[in-house]
Amino acid sequence: LVINNSTGSGGIHGNNPDEMIIEHCGSACLGNYPIVVTSQSTIYNSWGILGATEDFWTGGTAGTGSHNASEDGTSGTDYPTGDVTLTTIADHFTNPTANPATADFTLKAGSNLIAAGTGSETVDIAGDTRTGTADIGPFNYASGGIIPQASHHYRNNTGSGL
């Protein structure tokens, strides 16, 4: 999970000349592009939000992937299979902000990200077991409980992202 409260170029960069697999990730970024993915990369079950320009950017040469989500619908431009548009991000996350001190990207009940993923990832970023159909993003939805803030894994980056 990347939270970038700077206005740099972005959060998750999958534009490495070598193959990169991005799965069950999330990027809340005030920069231009929360997620940058090119033809060498594969991206599944991930979301990008708060981008100043586009939430997902491929430069027109997308790699492979599916079951992603964005606030502005750009995740579905190059990866339409299983795409979810997060029209109102506050409906999906506990406290969606680019401030790492207060952000909480655990899923809310009723989020379209719940059971919208693909694949067989068995453990989420907090160490919780994933069961049934995968959720999109780093956190598995846990009904009846919120993962404590101390269990979250954030990176506050003032540069160009991860």
Side-chain angles (χ1 to χ4, degrees):
L1 177 61
V2 174
I3 298 177
N4 185 342
N5 58 8
S6 78
T7 55
S9 63
I12 297 171
H13 284 233
N15 58 351
N16 188 329
D18 298 319
E19 180 181 7
M20 182 177 212
I21 298 172
I22 302 165
E23 187 168 6
H24 287 290
C25 291
S27 180
C29 173
L30 296 181
N32 292 327
Y33 311 104
I35 296 181
V36 175
V37 183
T38 57
S39 61
Q40 295 82 13
S41 299
T42 302
I43 184 163
Y44 294 98
N45 302 323
S46 297
W47 53 257
I49 59 172
L50 305 177
T53 305
E54 292 180 14
D55 292 335
F56 269 64
W57 185 79
T58 65
T61 57
T64 58
S66 68
H67 298 82
N68 297 299
S70 61
E71 183 180 6
D72 64 2
T74 54
S75 59
T77 302
D78 292 304
Y79 309 103
T81 302
D83 174 64
V84 175
T85 299
L86 307 173
T87 307
T88 305
I89 60 172
D91 292 344
H92 302 280
F93 305 105
T94 302
N95 187 22
T97 177
N99 179 349
T102 59
D104 185 343
F105 288 97
T106 55
L107 299 177
K108 279 185 168 180
S111 170
N112 292 348
L113 300 174
I114 298 169
T118 186
S120 59
E121 185 72 25
T122 58
V123 178
D124 76 0
I125 193 171
D128 291 331
T129 302
R130 292 184 186 267
T131 58
T133 303
D135 299 335
I136 292 176
F139 293 106
N140 187 53
Y141 174 69
S143 63
I146 296 176
I147 300 166
Q149 186 74 19
S151 296
H152 292 186
H153 302 274
Y154 296 128
R155 177 175 181 198
N156 180 14
N157 187 343
T158 57
S160 294
L162 193 56

